[in-house]
Amino acid sequence: MSKVHYKSVEEIELIRKSSLLVSKTLAEVAKVIKAGIQTIELDKLAETFIRDNGGVPAFLNYNGFPYSLCISLNDQVVHGFPGIYELKDGDTVSVDCGVVLNNFYGDSAYTFAVGEVDPETSKLLKVTKECLILGIEKAVVGMRVGDIGFAVQQHAEKNDYGVVKELVGHGVGVQLHEKPEIPNYGKRGSGMKLEEGMVIAIEPMINAGRAGVKFWKDGWTVSTVDGKPSAHFEHTVAIKKGKADILSTFNYIEEVLKQKD
Ligand code: MG
Ligand code: MG
């Protein structure tokens, strides 16, 4: 992970463009998520959409990662491989997407329910998204990295969920992963000071059961130790005074999901 890159206003606007392309890509994926589709089809569609819009999939070939999307099913936490698996009703599918456009990176993730999921899983998705929003509320000048983690952890643990510690959010923009690391746990008032010009990816990974994870022999996939579901929501966010500037958006996705209902 490289150093902290402080961005100019112009650079932040370029990161917004990259992040919005990520958001639109996730909305394209949202359109076709349904029982019977293979996850590799989602990957192909995303790659085509990103390239048609002048971008490059940021994950493809990153440290040897072989796909454009990370697609993590059910008890998989992050970094899952797309493949021939066909989605079925009741699955959850976390889709993480990164884009390079005009040399700047955006990064965002959303966990989708396929058809009807059970009420416990539905609650996990809702609470994980709330964790992201609560973390973002702390992503302002004057706060510290630990304030974000504290907010995320407190909300997750209040709901008896496990917070994944082995993987963390990160600075983003000039590179896919920059300093500082943004853990989903922490102490209030601890860690690096948040300053104007910092752009970070906040990405709670929350488990329905225990916090522990296992790392697969494929070198990438991470899943829960107890086999219970996990959820992942991520935004790229610019640190500002008073209120964070969220550069990615779930609006496109949620428009699509509303129309599918
Ligand atoms: Mg991501
Ligand atoms: Mg990320």
Side-chain angles (χ1 to χ4, degrees), residues 19 59 66-67 85 104 127 129-130 140 171 202 208 245 251:
S19 301
F59 299 168
Y67 300 99
Y85 178 82
F104 286 89
V127 170
K129 204 198 284 177
E130 289 166 357
V140 293
I202 303 179
D245 186 0
N251 291 348

Side-chain angles (χ1 to χ4, degrees), residues 96 107 169-170 177 201 203 234:
D96 195 347
D107 189 6
H170 50 91
H177 294 122
E203 49 179 316
E234 176 180 26

Side-chain angles (χ1 to χ4, degrees), residues 1 18 36-37 43 50 69 93 108 113 135 143 150 153 159 163 168 178 184-185 188-189 195 211 222 232 252:
M1 211 177 268
S18 308
I37 195 164
D43 187 77
I50 292 166
L69 299 177
V93 54
S108 181
M143 290 285 168
F150 179 84
Q153 181 177 22
N159 284 280
V163 174
V168 295
E178 302 169 3
N184 295 303
Y185 57 93
R188 261 191 271 201
E195 293 177 72
V222 182
H232 180 213
Y252 302 125

Side-chain angles (χ1 to χ4, degrees), residues 3 14 37 82 85 123 125 183 198 216 248 257:
K3 62 180 182 139
L14 289 168
I37 195 164
Y85 178 82
K123 185 187 166 202
L125 302 191
M198 290 170 76
W216 290 23
S248 47
L257 296 182

